[in-house]
Amino acid sequence: MAGKDEATWRVGVLFSRSGVSGITETEHFLGTALAIEEINTAGGVLGRPIEPICYDPAGDNDAYRSYGRRMLAEDGAEVIFGCSLSASRKSVLSTVERHNGLLWYPSIYEGFEYSENIIYTGATLNQNVFALADYLLQEHGPRIFLIGSDYIYPRESNRVMRDLIEAKGGSIVGERYAPLDADDAAHAAMIAEIRHAAPDAVFSTVVGRGAERLYRAYAASGIDRARCPIASLTLAEGQIRAIGPELCSSHVLAASYFAALAGEENRRFRAAFEARFGPGRPTSMWSETAYAQVHLFARALAEAGTLDAGRLGAAALRQRLAAPEGELAFDSDTRHIWLTPGIGIARPDGQFDVVWRARRPVRPDPYLAWSRFETNWLDEGMAA
């Protein structure tokens, strides 16, 4: 059933374009919008256009829950593209399950979750943290400081990073958290502790506006970023643009997509993104994942012919896509996606030098059931 208007496929789009996570979720939104426009321009799916119903929760978890319920119960949507932070995903999970909808979730997260009503298209920890731990130990040294925003994703990601560093002979020399939208004083206290501990590198899971304040304060502190960078899973091209590229050079990002990746699909995506949203607007891991998942959805919908969560979800898990980041395919056991990990070093122009990429896509392991802590993941890849 397509929704109230049988001439269209009605879907919900639930990303915050304002609030604490407004920069990254705006990129999710733009990637989603571009993909929907491309599909509709090409004739839609089975001759019917995709009709997006969009709300801005402004980073408020209660608003995510309320808008999610409205989309599924009142607006005639059965599919939602949305959420970025784990807190927002968890706030809508029970609503999506109760209404038997299907949430397409395009963000990296901490794993340890499975739902028949979610399609997970972002990286799990074995697809980013594992290689990053090896890179920091090999290129910077054994003494790592952990910082994060105070909610589930940072704490779980930092716990796994601690286990990895310690299993490989390194040590965690400090750990500190701040509220999600912490002020400048909270980040100044973080940096004071980092200075005192004198680590070889910092692993940060500070996100949203807090991250923007953190990176500006880190640059102002005078710490040598080339010697002691902040390494993260989230500092992508769009946020660097907002912070100021000159303040972010030498910091490290572990991700499956960088705008600097070679390949015709990525060149086409970057050109289309700039043509639609303005010259100088960079693509990033946030916009690309959101863009790719809508194209995966369209292929699944063409096969299933319905927005019913069970039938559409089953069809989705059979799809493959030559995406801007490379070949994508689902792991049907976990409902997550195979991705190719990479590591980039931020340049003064706001782009990344991709210094390492895995030779082949890595299977998602959201429960860390089979990923080996003792493996040197850098041996499993090659310089890009």
Side-chain angles (χ1 to χ4, degrees):
M1 175 173 144
K4 293 179 180 178
D5 184 350
E6 294 296 331
T8 67
W9 304 104
R10 186 170 292 190
V11 302
V13 178
L14 189 59
F15 295 115
S16 290
R17 286 159 278 157
S18 58
V20 65
S21 56
I23 288 179
T24 54
E25 293 202 53
T26 294
E27 293 183 44
H28 281 319
F29 180 85
L30 296 180
T32 301
L34 178 60
I36 290 174
E37 289 175 6
E38 288 180 351
I39 292 162
N40 286 346
T41 298
V45 180
L46 301 178
R48 292 154 62 177
I50 299 170
E51 179 190 354
I53 308 298
C54 307
Y55 295 112
D56 176 5
D60 182 275
N61 290 328
D62 290 336
Y64 278 99
R65 185 180 302 108
S66 174
Y67 286 138
R69 189 205 63 79
R70 183 187 299 181
M71 287 172 167
L72 297 170
E74 301 175 23
D75 293 333
E78 297 177 67
V79 164
I80 296 174
F81 302 106
C83 305
S84 185
L85 303 183
S86 286
S88 61
R89 184 191 71 258
K90 289 186 177 296
S91 74
V92 305
L93 176 56
S94 61
T95 298
V96 172
E97 291 179 336
R98 184 178 307 116
H99 291 274
N100 197 30
L102 189 64
L103 172 66
W104 290 69
Y105 179 65
S107 188
I108 64 172
Y109 85 116
E110 69 282 353
F112 300 96
E113 183 176 286
Y114 176 93
S115 172
E116 294 284 345
N117 296 90
I118 299 183
I119 297 289
Y120 305 84
T121 60
T124 56
L125 293 178
N126 73 302
Q127 295 168 317
N128 49 28
V129 170
F130 277 58
L132 182 57
D134 287 329
Y135 179 84
L136 294 178
L137 292 171
Q138 182 173 306
E139 299 296 328
H140 290 280
R143 305 178 73 256
I144 309 300
F145 198 106
L146 305 179
I147 56 177
S149 300
D150 195 4
Y151 72 103
I152 183 171
Y153 159 72
R155 287 191 174 273
E156 282 298 296
S157 300
N158 287 2
R159 177 183 65 80
V160 173
M161 178 61 89
R162 173 185 287 275
D163 289 347
L164 284 164
I165 294 296
E166 292 178 347
K168 294 169 182 286
S171 61
I172 302 303
V173 297
E175 185 169 4
R176 186 180 179 98
Y177 294 87
L180 185 58
D181 198 14
D183 60 15
D184 290 334
H187 295 107
M190 275 186 174
I191 291 170
E193 287 197 25
I194 291 168
R195 276 190 171 282
H196 178 74
D200 297 311
V202 177
F203 176 59
S204 172
T205 48
V206 176
V207 300
R209 284 193 300 231
E212 294 151 38
R213 296 181 181 121
L214 169 70
Y215 283 97
R216 292 188 183 107
Y218 202 83
S221 75
I223 295 173
D224 184 350
R225 300 195 296 270
R227 185 194 65 78
C228 180
I230 297 176
S232 83
L233 314 176
T234 58
L235 182 70
E237 293 86 346
Q239 197 165 39
I240 287 175
R241 179 174 179 250
I243 295 167
E246 71 283 357
L247 305 180
C248 298
S249 60
S250 299
H251 290 315
V252 181
L253 173 67
S256 60
Y257 175 81
F258 300 90
L261 290 177
E264 183 55 37
E265 285 298 324
N266 190 37
R267 284 191 289 272
R268 189 199 60 75
F269 172 56
R270 290 182 63 181
F273 199 84
E274 283 205 2
R276 178 62 179 85
F277 302 116
R281 183 119 201 180
T283 58
S284 73
M285 58 186 281
W286 308 113
S287 57
E288 191 271 347
T289 307
Y291 171 87
Q293 76 170 13
V294 175
H295 280 285
L296 284 163
F297 156 79
R299 292 185 177 205
L301 181 57
E303 178 183 321
T306 176
L307 294 176
D308 172 77
R311 291 166 61 186
L312 179 61
L317 299 181
R318 294 190 287 269
Q319 304 309 310
R320 304 179 74 91
L321 179 69
E325 67 186 88
E327 183 77 12
L328 300 181
F330 282 98
D331 176 60
S332 59
D333 291 336
T334 64
R335 302 177 72 84
H336 292 67
I337 207 159
W338 289 66
L339 296 171
T340 304
I343 294 174
I345 310 299
R347 304 191 313 231
D349 66 356
Q351 292 294 318
F352 285 88
D353 287 322
V354 183
V355 297
W356 176 88
R357 256 198 132 203
R359 291 187 177 93
R360 59 189 66 86
V362 171
R363 181 185 179 188
D365 186 14
Y367 286 93
L368 301 182
W370 56 266
S371 296
R372 297 173 59 190
F373 274 44
E374 67 272 20
T375 298
N376 185 332
W377 281 60
L378 300 189
D379 291 340
E380 303 297 318
M382 56 187 177

